[in-house]
Amino acid sequence: MAVAEQVWIPDPEEVWKSAELLKDYKPGDKVLQLRLEDGKDLEYCLDPKTKELPPLRNPDILVGENDLTALSYLHEPAVLHNLKVRFIDSKLIYTYCGIVLVAINPYEQLPIYGEDIINAYSGQNMGDMDPHIFAVAEEAYKQMARFRNQSIIVSGESGAGKTVSAKYAMRYFATVSGSASEANVEEKVLASNPIMESIGNAKTTRNDNSSRFGKYIEIGFDKRYRIIGANMRTYLLEKSRVVFQAEEERNYHIFYQLCASAALPEFKTLRLGNANSFHYTRQGGSPVIDGVDDAKEMVNTRHACTLLGNYDSYQMGIFYILAGILHLGNVEFAPRDSDSCHDPLTIFCDLMGVEYEEMAHWLCHRKLVTATETYIKPISRLHAINARDALAKHIYANLFNWIVDHVNKALHSTVKQHSFIGVLDIYGFETFEINSFEQFCINYANEKLQQQFNMHVFKLEQEEYMKEQIPWTLIDFYDNQPCINLIEAKMGVLDLLDEECKMPKGSDDTWAQKLYNTHLNKCTLFEKPRLSNKAFIIKHFADKVEYQCEGFLEKNKDTVYEEQIKVLKSSKFKLLPELFQDEEKVISPTSATSSGRVLLSRTPVKPAKAKPGQTSKEHKKTVGHQFRNSLHLLMETLNATTPHYVRCIKPNDFKFPFTFDEKRAVQQLRACGVLETIRISAAGFPSRWTYQEFFSRYRVLMKQKDVLSDRKQTCKNVLEKLILDKDKYQFGKTKIFFRAGQVAYLEKIRADKLRAACIRIQKTIRGWLMRKKYMRMRKAAITIQRYVRGHQARCYAKFLRRTRAAIIIQKFQRMYVVRKRYQCMRDATIALQALLRGYLVRNKYQMMLREHKSIIIQKHVRGWLARVHYHRTLKAIIYLQCCYRRMMAKRELKKLKIEARSVERYKKLHIGLENKIMQLQRKIDEQTIVSFSFIVTIIYYVMSLTCHLITIMYLSCIFLNTFLGRQSPQDYHMLNEDGELWLVYEGLKQANRLLESQLQSQKKSHENELESLRGEIQSLKEENNRQQQLLAQNLQLPPEARIEASLQHEITRLTNENLVRAVMLLEQSWSLTSLSVPLSSHWFSGGSLLNVEVSSSWLSGRYYNVFYFPSEVGQMENISPGQIIDEPIRPVNIPRKEKDFQGMLEYKKEDEQKLVKNLILDLKPRGVAVNLIPGLPAYILFMCVRHADYLNDDQKVRSLLTSTINGIKKVLKKRGDDFETVSFWLSNTCRFLHCLKQYSGEEGFMKHNTPRQNEHCLTNFDLAEYRQVLSDLAIQIYQQLVRVLENILQPMIVSGMLEHETIQGVSGVKPTGLRKRTSSIADEGTYTLDSIIRQLNSFHSVMCQHGMDPELIKQVVKQMFYIIGAVTLNNLLLRKDMCSWSKGMQIRYNVSQLEEWLRDKNLMNSGAKETLEPLIQAAQLLQVKKKTDEDAEAICSMCSALTTAQIVKVLNLYTPVNEFEERVLVSFIRTIQLRLRDRKDSPQLLMDAKHIFPVTFPFNPSSLALETIQIPASLGLGFISRV
């Protein structure tokens, strides 16, 4: 030990004090010269026996570490000081100690348990984040998925925060895993907490919500690691609290919740009152807890019961029993001849449903059973009170067990459990002034847990050494097996206690004597107090504890009168007998003791079923025996799992927030095994570095020639030079192991080397600065002289000018003052006159205005009254007219219906046609030949209109009907004289048969046409191949020849089309001629047939004249259609005329699904984005919508838009995790939306269009509603795109922005603890800042290729940068190792690279840079000076984008990496908090990384003309055609 070394010395008040060595220590010195931190000098005497030196203090750079095992010197004062610094200065309540998480109760609500914190820890390695209960839970969850079942053991004193820690661990599992069913099992698991807290927690002097029982909860998971159920086991409920509470304590919460809710209507029958009115709730004198509303807590408890399936009927049953216990406590006992109040007992019996006389009798009497007779004996008042209390405790304990069983049933799952995580919330080591049976059981359980903990730590150390192939040496650690044997072995304390309970006259005194005789002076762990014969002392692993024997036997038996139980079993109330069903299986007729009491269980563990041949003696299980069995079962469960340890520490006994009592803390550290972990670690090689970490940290100690390509060999060479004693370190496969203190030695050498380098740099820079300063001062002096002399001369000249000017100014100033005074008086006079005159005129005007308005109001009111009267009259007249007209219309309708049924009606309908036929008849009489041809012409005309020969039949029938209707009855015989009517009838039948035959022929002709169409398709394919060959030949020609060839080809194609159409027209005319000839041959004579053929030829000639010149008609008539087709076509040179497309696409209704499938579902974005125009699918869909709008087909429009939207949703659901797919459809959806706006016909959108585009606007439908649907769809796609971006970027951000050293050598690696090295997930590759920038480039290029709107790209980039900034800042706020000056420089450099990327992409105005402002300010906060008030003011003004909580958190986490950096003082942080107390910002610590900015889609019209869009064949859309 050398001068200036810092050491720790014991202190009665602070436990350990820090001191500095003033004089070098030499072997043999008995006194050390020390100086305390307060400046006092001290002579410290060494122990003459051990001559142990005081423990050394760690370097300041290591103080405040996340993991205590990262400390170079591992001992009690170092651990205590590190915890105190983290708790008091940094406000950090969690610290790792190897495999143990030390949690200090802050007695204050901290914002570190929100869902954002859970998300931040989810999926993270345990050593990567600051210590937290969520980190332990995440480690257990991940190891469960990889290895086997896990358990989290939470222990500590009452009030240390065990229950809260266990509750947060369970909440973490419920949040990150989710439920495997729709029953929300995770909510039920969390709902069990308020129930168990209400019936098992109470206020004590140490804790307002102290758990008075231990519990082990197994949370079950399925194969997908989702919660499926849970199971709870409880241990050692403190039943004595039901009947007795110490001063300032309360009974269980549920009793006070009932009393607070007594006014509720459903609780009237319980006949409850204030808590002070019951004996069992007023003994502590503290019925109210500050800040707790018992009535509100009762609502939460009932809600939790309902969630777990305990509905109102069961709940009221429980409340009846609890209320009965309260009334039972008010039952008093008095002599027979005195007056007593029986109301409490009457209420108790009514609530329990038992007979009053029986319960009153057995509360005052007992039954004695002998071999021959049974006696009933009255008992004393004291015994009666004890029996009453025993009954109350027994009822409550059974009710507690019943509730636990029902909670387990509610949490039970039918799904097979794949694995589980157990959470053990159990009492820590306890020692009081008076320790009884409860403390004995608690300390016994802690002995078992400590043994399991020691073995696990020892096993981990051994595995680490073997893995690294380090020579294994046996580490001596404390083995508490002898203490466990003293308690549970044969003839141990519990064995002797059970034996004494079986004795008829056993007592606490005789049991104490047996203990003395058996163990005193035979076991070193057992002692007898000097001044007592009714106590004993056991040396536990934590401390010596003196136990008072009084009450051990009674509490171990835990008895109650059997007759009272029988009365309760006979209750009419069905729930009450259920509480005692399990006892019937345990209690045999001979199990009663001589005192007539029954041995009962204290634990909810059900006893095993009796085997044949077992005696009743085996059923007499005492509390100690059952507790030992349940403890063995618990240890078996824990040993079958991988344990994780949480040790809760109570910082003070007064519940003061962030107050650290060193005495109480060190007492608990010793008791919970933390120091034992430190001792085991320190006995071996506690400090462990990977070779790369060692090289990065101590590179400054190496010379250039020492650096080899092999890092391992380099580290070996350097260590051999720095540390001569090879026993101080060992080289493993991947790590270097150091003995305690060696890291501190290396840090000292490193600091000295850096200090020497700094001095040299400072010397050189200071000399350079002084030389520059001197040269500047000399030059400045000469310049100043020159300017001063010139200034003096100018000042004198200025004085002369000022003197002259002053006289002139005075003259004008005096004149100005006088003139100003006159002007003011004149203006004031004029203003007063104007105001007065204006006032009078305004009054007169107001009076005239009021009169005028009154007249107007009267006019309007009278007019309104007249109009109202007129409208009423008019309405009544119209109503009468409507009624009358309706009546007349009904009559007319009735007449019309009658007429419609008559033949005359049909005659009237055809009266017009009959007139025409009569006119034709007259013409027939005048000219027979012309009439026949004219009739044929009329028939042909009707046929051409209706396209069906049935019209001819109908006209003929009407003609005959009309003709016959005009004849008289006498004329019928004349007409039918030769059978003409029969001939007509036969002619009609022949016409029908002819029509049927023609129908068959038409059917055959259609089939022939189908075959011809197939042939045409084949010919078109051949023509297509020929065209492709021709196109390939044209491409090889020069440009001029290519244009001429294409024109020639187009002319030839058009000529061929004209010829084919002409042939088709000829065929149609011939078919019409052949159709008309047979009809006329049946109806008319042979001479008339010629005229019909002539007229048909004439009609055909009219059709031919449409297509051919008159001179060519005769030639075309002589050529058959087959000759025209077979004749070779001569190319004709005519000018080409382009087809005028309308920018529409036509498709058939049945092809809609095919369109959606080819264009949306099966489309691959990668090929489309590279080869086709951006937004092509959107343009095609809109052109299809335009055509449906052009046809005025609303059903087709609606169907197409619906199918499109559903198709896009289906694609995104199927490939929603692919960035290119989501980006592609976001771009196309926006383009489709813009097209609907651009061509909607609205004035605001049309102003951006060209005249041609305005012609393409939709004409029939307003698609505003579908625009809204598409806008909503685009928002959903955008949000999905953000989620995809986040999933891709998330693994890169922390590594690239925080962990990777972009600037090499700026930040040195600090010593790391055990947690960093035992991470459950191996390193899968490191991301750098370049990885992030490459990914950003990929995103940007994909969006640009897809044609995404520039404004939308800016919004996506802004969201990406927000995610990067939020995730980086959140991790910075949760990682103490990242809060340093050098890391701030790294972050600022990384941010500058991101800004440079924005400049390269021209996105600086996107708002992305602003989203990084909190991260930039956090990095600046790490780098600025943090000492004076001016620094605090600068920080407050600089960190405007950070919340107060974030600023304080960064300052608390700030950790120097080198000794040249200074820690932030607590006083400085307090100054910052005072300056920021008025700032109105969110108390939330972390940024919401899931936040998505509102997205907008600014209108972006397209300049692309729809008629120019070509549909590539690769899309497979040949079934649609351009229009």
Side-chain angles (χ1 to χ4, degrees), residues 677-715:
T677 307
I678 294 297
R679 202 186 66 77
I680 293 175
S681 298
F685 297 92
S687 302
R688 300 158 196 184
W689 292 65
T690 64
Y691 289 102
Q692 183 60 42
E693 289 174 347
F694 181 86
F695 179 82
S696 300
R697 181 68 177 175
Y698 299 112
R699 173 67 178 82
V700 295
L701 301 179
M702 305 175 191
K703 297 181 180 179
Q704 187 62 37
K705 62 181 181 180
D706 295 332
V707 179
L708 305 176
S709 58
D710 186 359
R711 291 283 183 265
K712 186 174 183 179
Q713 189 60 42
T714 302
C715 296

Side-chain angles (χ1 to χ4, degrees), residues 612-667:
Q614 279 186 319
T615 63
S616 62
K617 192 174 182 179
E618 293 177 353
H619 290 287
K620 299 176 183 179
K621 294 182 179 180
T622 60
V623 173
H625 181 79
Q626 295 190 32
F627 184 70
R628 178 170 53 188
N629 291 343
S630 62
L631 197 57
H632 285 166
L633 179 62
L634 174 64
M635 299 312 299
E636 290 177 3
T637 304
L638 294 180
N639 290 329
T641 63
T642 301
H644 305 266
Y645 300 95
V646 179
R647 298 294 190 243
C648 298
I649 304 297
K650 186 177 181 180
N652 62 83
D653 289 329
F654 305 102
K655 305 172 188 174
F656 294 154
F658 286 103
T659 303
F660 195 80
D661 184 351
E662 290 86 352
K663 286 184 177 181
R664 292 286 292 118
V666 78
Q667 179 186 5

Side-chain angles (χ1 to χ4, degrees), residues 806-816:
I807 297 172
I808 298 173
I809 290 171
Q810 287 176 357
K811 176 182 68 175
F812 283 98
Q813 173 65 20
R814 290 166 184 166
M815 178 183 66
Y816 172 77

Side-chain angles (χ1 to χ4, degrees), residues 84 117 130 335 341 411 430 569 691 733 756 1022 1136 1516:
K84 181 180 179 180
I117 305 291
D130 274 1
C341 180
L411 298 179
E430 287 188 355
K569 287 182 180 179
Y691 289 102
K733 290 179 65 178
E1022 295 173 357
R1136 178 187 176 190

